[in-house]
């Protein structure tokens, strides 16, 4: 197979909006009900753990009630059909804490802001899949301590697996950003990282974002339309 190329895809809340999961910075956004600093920081968790636990209990329930949409399914199809050998690679870096990429069937997914359906024990460092609530302070399945927190990267904490992400960006032939406002670093800087290493860059978003100026091409519209269309193009070109 001739060289298909290395693709890095960044997804944000916009790809899950049509699955009914609220984004952060729209007028009806998640942060409208809560100030970020009141629920998504380590200080907030120390100050009012019950509020933070209840906020993420709500997120967890919303995730479980949501279904993947056509955009998640299209990326899963690309993941299934794109090479994972010397002729090409693919990595979906998501800022989202939902599991809709995985439930659509994607496997090469990296959650840089953690996962809403996982918990982290601050006593023994174990991580566990978790579909229940934390507001009732349940014991850690590993050590029994009541020290579980959402396995979410809060503001001021280091996003996960950044080395792996930077390595993928440095090898990318194509960087595609889907459904993100480009408001939060380091994710907002990935487009410049990728293009600095010679990648072509494409943005698929409902509105222009803070980073649109850095992309070779921006297509505006709902992800459920733009993403399947783009995947057809990519697989069509590859003759897959
Ligand atoms: N299709 C495509 N894009 C959409 C859709 C849709 N149906 N609906 C909304 N969008 C776009 C919006 O235009 C916006 O640019 O998705 C983007 C959502 O932006 P944010 O709400 O800022 O979400 P995101 O970019 O993922 O936020 C990044 O900030 O709050 C932190 O940790 C949180 O991971 C989050 C990070």
């Amino acid at each position: 197979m001739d060289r298909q190329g290395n693709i890095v895809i960044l997804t944000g809340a916009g790809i899950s909006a049509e699955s009914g999961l609220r984004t952060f910075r729209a007028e009806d956004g998640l942060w409208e009900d809560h100030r970020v600093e009141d629920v998504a920081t380590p200080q907030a968790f120390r100050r009012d753990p019950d509020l933070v636990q209840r906020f993420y209990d709500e997120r967890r329930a919303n995730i479980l009630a949501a279904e993947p949409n056509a955009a998640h399914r299209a990326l899963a199809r690309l993941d299934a059909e794109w090479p994972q050998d010397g002729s090409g690679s693919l990595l979906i870096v998501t800022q989202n804490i939902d599991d809709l990429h995985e439930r659509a069937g994607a496997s090469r997914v990296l959650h840089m802001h953690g996962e809403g359906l996982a918990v982290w024990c601050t006593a023994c460092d174990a991580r566990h899949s978790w579909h229940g609530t934390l507001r009732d302070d349940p014991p850690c399945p590993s050590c029994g301590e009541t020290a579980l927190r959402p396995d979410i990267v809060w503001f001021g904490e280091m996003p996960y697996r950044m080395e792996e992400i930077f390595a993928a960006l440095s090898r990318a032939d194509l960087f595609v950003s889907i459904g993100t406002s480009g408001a939060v670093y380091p994710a907002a800087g990935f487009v410049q990282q990728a293009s600095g290493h010679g990648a072509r860059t494409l943005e698929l978003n409902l509105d222009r974002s803070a980073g649109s100026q850095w992309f070779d091409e921006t297509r505006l519209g709902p992800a459920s339309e733009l993403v399947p269309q783009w995947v057809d193009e990519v697989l069509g070109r590859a003759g897959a």
Side-chain angles (χ1 to χ4, degrees):
M1 173 186 285
D2 60 10
R3 189 164 147 54
Q4 300 295 337
N6 300 323
I7 302 178
V8 176
I9 297 166
L10 172 68
T11 64
I15 199 170
S16 298
E18 291 163 271
S19 295
L21 296 179
R22 283 160 61 182
T23 64
F24 293 96
R25 292 173 181 81
E27 57 293 332
D28 66 341
L30 260 184
W31 296 139
E32 289 310 302
D33 296 356
H34 302 271
R35 286 167 356 109
V36 172
E37 47 279 10
D38 291 344
V39 288
T41 66
Q43 296 75 7
F45 190 57
R46 275 195 296 276
R47 185 175 59 243
D48 188 347
D50 186 53
L51 168 68
V52 175
Q53 297 290 30
R54 280 186 288 109
F55 178 78
Y56 286 99
D57 285 354
E58 203 180 294
R59 304 282 65 70
R60 208 169 293 116
N62 292 348
I63 291 168
L64 291 170
E67 290 299 327
N69 64 56
H72 297 108
R73 289 194 297 275
L75 290 189
R77 182 160 63 89
L78 180 63
D79 188 359
E81 296 185 25
W82 202 254
Q84 40 194 335
D85 54 22
S87 69
S89 67
L90 178 126
L91 180 63
I92 301 170
V93 179
T94 187
Q95 301 172 89
N96 300 340
I97 63 171
D98 64 57
D99 64 338
L100 297 181
H101 283 303
E102 291 86 346
R103 273 201 271 149
S107 54
R108 292 181 269 186
V109 182
L110 191 163
H111 286 268
M112 63 178 288
H113 288 167
E115 299 183 58
L117 300 183
V119 293
W120 173 21
C121 177
T122 56
C124 74
D125 208 31
R127 280 169 168 77
H128 293 278
S129 171
W130 198 268
H131 289 197
T133 58
L134 288 182
R135 69 185 69 187
D136 29 24
D137 224 359
C140 166
S142 297
C143 72
E145 291 292 319
T146 54
L148 294 174
R149 62 164 269 187
D151 187 12
I152 303 287
V153 177
W154 284 327
F155 286 89
E157 295 182 327
M158 178 56 77
Y160 288 154
R161 299 166 59 185
M162 288 306 296
E163 289 304 309
E164 204 176 322
I165 296 170
F166 285 137
L169 292 170
S170 68
R171 291 193 304 270
D173 298 291
L174 175 62
F175 174 74
V176 186
S177 175
I178 303 171
T180 182
S181 63
V184 173
Y185 285 82
F190 291 172
V191 55
Q192 288 164 279
Q193 203 98 23
S195 57
H197 284 97
R200 274 189 313 106
T201 57
L202 168 66
E203 180 183 41
L204 308 177
N205 208 53
L206 193 63
D207 315 296
R208 285 187 67 76
S209 71
S212 291
Q213 61 184 306
W214 304 112
F215 286 89
D216 297 322
E217 182 188 359
T218 290
R219 298 178 190 175
L220 299 182
S224 62
E225 287 170 25
L226 293 183
V227 180
Q229 191 181 23
W230 169 68
V231 168
D232 287 345
E233 277 172 30
V234 170
L235 291 179
R237 268 203 302 279

